[in-house]
Amino acid sequence: MRRSRYNTMMKEKKKKPWAGRFSEPTDALVEAFTASIHFDKRLYRYDIEGSIAHARMLARQKIISRNEEKNIVAGLKAILADIEKGRFIFNARDEDIHMAIEKALVDRIGETGGKLHTGRSRNDQVALDIRLYLRDEIRIIGEMIAGLKSKLVDLAKSEIDTILPGYTHMQRAQPVLLSHYLLAYREMLERDEQRLRECHERVNVMPLGAAALAGTSLPIDRACTARLLGFKKMSENSMDAVSDRDFVAEFIFVSSLIMMHLSRFCEDLVIWSTDEFQFVEISDAYTTGSSIMPQKKNPDVAELIRGKTGRVYGNLVALLTVMKGLPMTYNRDMQEDKEPLFDSVDTVKSCLHVFCEMIKHTKFNRARMLKAASGGFSTATDVAEHLVMKGIPFREAHGVVGRLVAYCIEKGEDMQSLTLEEFRLFHRGFGDDVYTCLQVENALNSRSIPGGTGKDAVLKRIKSIRGKRK
Ligand code: ARG
């Protein structure tokens, strides 16, 4: 080959696929600044999957030949194998994963590779890739939540006799079953799962065909591409299809709630593992020590889950802010959707995983919990309800028991040690059955209304959950 022809060829190879109207090469600084390949490369599998479906559709529509389809698909599969074996070099000069793969395809199969992008733009392509990616991740996260939920139900069953002081305002309020507490988190996770399913509905929409923003004049078959990729729906408006990131924001919001739920649970575990509480002991394997204080055993895992919640919230705000001022339709700002999204996915997954393991390594101190649940006049409400059952208006009963509590505090005694005469000094309605409702177990089990913390109600709930699971 003559030297000058070789030089022109090499120059052409270095050019961007979009370089036709440019007379100057991109500045290296701009190249580095605009590139997203260092993070969007993780979409490679979905990019290739989408391209294969697109090529197959193009061939069915006779826009490309069967032979070209075969070459393109084989080329894409070979690129996939290369990436998976770590043999693919990602280069900032290729800007993003979409161009990197297209360029690799042309390098591999020649100019037929240039036919892949027919009737398509990176704008609808990137929307497709994110949707395919999120579809998978939502499924995985949903499975992790289901796993945690059933772990909580198993725990609720094995801790069915563990009594815990329930708190409001962080002040001891009323005794509850630890199982009831655990199942409360299961309810939250159940809603998280529902939200994920609903989010999945909106993610599961096929945007290809929107092209840059206005669709294409080529006779493509969108329904065919949708079918090949397992989408039930197609986007209904090409402009919306390329400018929409609602589904990303929605996913990060759902993730934020999942994190919030884990974080609150962790907060309790942090408090419960203090010397002051000693309600739980997280095993050595799931705690860490202090570099200066030899006696310390810190609940760092729980603290970090609580801390990482902040970054997911931050990701949500980042994305909403990126989107808020964007004119229709696609704007390059939208490339900033990926890092918050990926970080949210990674954070939620790792937190769910480690939380589930930490719970398995946590022991509940039944005696300590019971002791705390018995103190602090935790059955005062039950005493008031005892009076209510004798026909006394609740407001009056509340006042009577309030005065009784003050009397006990003054005497330095708890209510159990008062005589019936003393009770009757406060209200003549007191009968000797007041001692029954003062007992923590009795107070607790009397709350067996549906949704209540009584053992019967909790067992019923466990049964109905397990029944549904089968
Ligand atoms: N890397 C881009 C992104 O993540 C892909 C779409 C680019 N489209 C464009 N017309 N420059 O948003």
Side-chain angles (χ1 to χ4, degrees):
M1 198 189 298
R2 291 226 337 265
R3 189 140 203 110
S4 66
R5 240 187 78 201
Y6 177 79
N7 280 346
T8 339
M9 207 190 86
M10 287 317 283
K11 253 194 211 151
E12 280 299 315
K13 269 203 140 188
K14 275 193 176 161
K15 272 192 178 168
K16 311 278 181 205
W18 41 253
R21 58 104 67 216
F22 289 78
S23 49
E24 259 188 301
T26 321
D27 194 283
L29 182 63
V30 174
E31 232 167 36
F33 185 71
T34 55
S36 56
I37 191 149
H38 52 290
F39 53 82
D40 65 20
K41 63 181 177 201
R42 79 151 82 178
L43 294 173
Y44 72 87
R45 229 177 329 127
Y46 304 103
D47 198 76
I48 290 173
E49 188 189 346
S51 288
I52 290 178
H54 183 65
R56 294 214 190 283
M57 179 281 290
L58 289 176
R60 282 188 202 187
Q61 294 304 100
K62 304 202 163 34
I63 300 169
I64 61 172
S65 72
R66 284 288 171 193
N67 212 25
E68 288 167 335
E69 172 198 357
K70 246 176 60 196
N71 285 337
I72 290 176
V73 171
L76 287 169
K77 285 187 175 163
I79 293 169
L80 178 66
D82 274 355
I83 298 177
E84 267 164 4
K85 290 191 184 115
R87 287 197 307 237
F88 191 94
I89 297 159
F90 293 99
N91 192 331
R93 230 180 294 130
D94 295 330
E95 211 173 300
D96 55 28
I97 187 66
H98 325 294
M99 291 215 315
I101 289 173
E102 192 185 327
K103 184 176 161 289
L105 184 67
V106 175
D107 285 350
R108 189 177 273 274
I109 68 168
E111 61 185 20
T112 307
K115 293 201 168 187
L116 173 64
H117 214 49
T118 311
R120 186 178 77 170
S121 149
R122 270 185 298 157
N123 296 354
D124 57 351
Q125 186 179 359
V126 69
L128 174 73
D129 291 7
I130 306 173
R131 285 173 184 275
L132 289 171
Y133 161 79
L134 253 185
R135 235 170 39 169
D136 272 3
E137 295 297 348
I138 288 176
R139 188 182 38 75
I140 295 168
I141 294 169
E143 282 165 8
M144 295 180 90
I145 292 182
L148 177 53
K149 270 168 54 196
S150 71
K151 174 75 205 144
L152 290 177
V153 178
D154 293 346
L155 252 184
K157 188 75 209 268
S158 57
E159 295 288 341
I160 192 66
D161 289 313
T162 308
I163 296 175
L164 169 80
Y167 294 82
T168 63
H169 312 269
M170 200 61 221
Q171 305 291 318
R172 231 176 291 170
Q174 290 183 288
V176 291
L177 285 184
L178 175 62
S179 307
H180 199 50
Y181 171 95
L182 296 168
L183 292 181
Y185 275 98
R186 188 205 159 271
E187 295 295 333
M188 297 178 222
L189 293 167
E190 168 97 9
R191 291 194 295 275
D192 291 332
E193 243 186 333
Q194 281 169 10
R195 270 185 286 265
L196 276 177
R197 276 197 293 274
E198 285 159 18
C199 177
H200 186 272
E201 280 287 293
R202 279 178 284 276
V203 166
N204 203 11
V205 177
M206 209 283 300
L208 276 196
L213 79 161
T216 171
S217 63
L218 298 166
I220 61 166
D221 180 355
R222 300 188 65 212
C224 167
T225 321
R227 220 178 318 110
L228 290 173
L229 292 170
F231 283 103
K232 275 195 266 150
K233 283 192 204 153
M234 301 185 265
S235 54
E236 297 291 348
N237 181 304
S238 63
M239 296 180 85
D240 179 44
V242 293
S243 74
D244 172 28
R245 291 293 182 273
D246 295 2
F247 62 99
V248 178
E250 201 177 330
F251 171 79
I252 306 180
F253 169 70
V254 176
S255 302
S256 299
L257 282 190
I258 297 171
M259 290 302 298
M260 181 187 84
H261 294 149
L262 295 183
S263 180
R264 292 184 70 178
F265 203 146
C266 286
E267 169 74 4
D268 276 336
L269 292 177
V270 169
I271 295 171
W272 291 356
S273 59
T274 57
D275 250 355
E276 288 75 2
F277 271 79
Q278 293 175 29
F279 284 3
V280 295
E281 164 119 33
I282 307 173
S283 80
D284 285 2
Y286 274 75
T287 45
T288 47
S290 156
S291 52
I292 173 167
M293 297 163 286
Q295 86 284 11
K296 290 285 295 268
K297 180 171 152 179
N298 298 328
D300 294 37
V301 173
E303 292 169 276
L304 271 172
I305 294 174
R306 193 176 58 187
K308 283 174 191 288
T309 304
R311 40 190 305 162
V312 179
Y313 290 7
N315 291 337
L316 177 61
V317 174
L319 180 74
L320 290 173
T321 313
V322 165
M323 297 304 293
K324 80 178 256 290
L326 296 190
M328 280 269 255
T329 52
Y330 178 84
N331 299 270
R332 191 60 179 271
D333 316 46
M334 288 160 76
Q335 182 168 290
E336 290 292 310
D337 62 352
K338 277 166 222 65
E339 285 165 297
L341 171 62
F342 295 158
D343 185 67
S344 301
V345 167
D346 294 345
T347 307
V348 160
K349 278 164 76 178
S350 72
C351 289
L352 277 168
H353 184 194
V354 75
F355 183 88
C356 213
E357 293 305 312
M358 176 176 65
I359 282 293
K360 291 183 198 157
H361 287 80
T362 300
K363 275 209 193 78
F364 296 94
N365 187 336
R366 297 173 189 173
R368 284 286 302 190
M369 286 182 175
L370 178 63
K371 191 157 174 265
S374 315
F377 304 100
S378 65
T379 51
T381 311
D382 302 273
V383 178
E385 283 170 3
H386 162 84
L387 287 179
V388 167
M389 289 308 285
K390 314 241 166 197
I392 289 110
F394 180 74
R395 267 296 145 240
E396 190 188 334
H398 185 283
V400 168
V401 180
R403 286 190 288 279
L404 252 169
V405 168
Y407 174 77
C408 287
I409 293 173
E410 177 103 329
K411 274 189 79 178
E413 280 179 13
D414 50 25
M415 261 192 237
Q416 275 96 331
S417 42
L418 299 185
T419 62
L420 186 57
E421 286 65 45
E422 282 175 298
F423 272 107
R424 290 173 68 90
L425 277 177
F426 287 82
H427 201 287
R428 273 182 301 124
F430 278 117
D432 57 7
D433 44 346
V434 66
Y435 295 102
T436 319
C437 69
L438 273 170
Q439 296 281 316
V440 170
E441 282 87 353
N442 296 337
L444 211 147
N445 286 326
S446 67
R447 289 194 280 277
S448 268
I449 49 155
T453 188
K455 186 171 169 179
D456 288 348
V458 173
L459 283 172
K460 229 187 217 162
R461 182 69 189 130
I462 293 176
K463 220 172 150 196
S464 87
I465 292 165
R466 289 196 164 157
K468 243 184 261 157
R469 218 167 42 184
K470 274 173 209 142

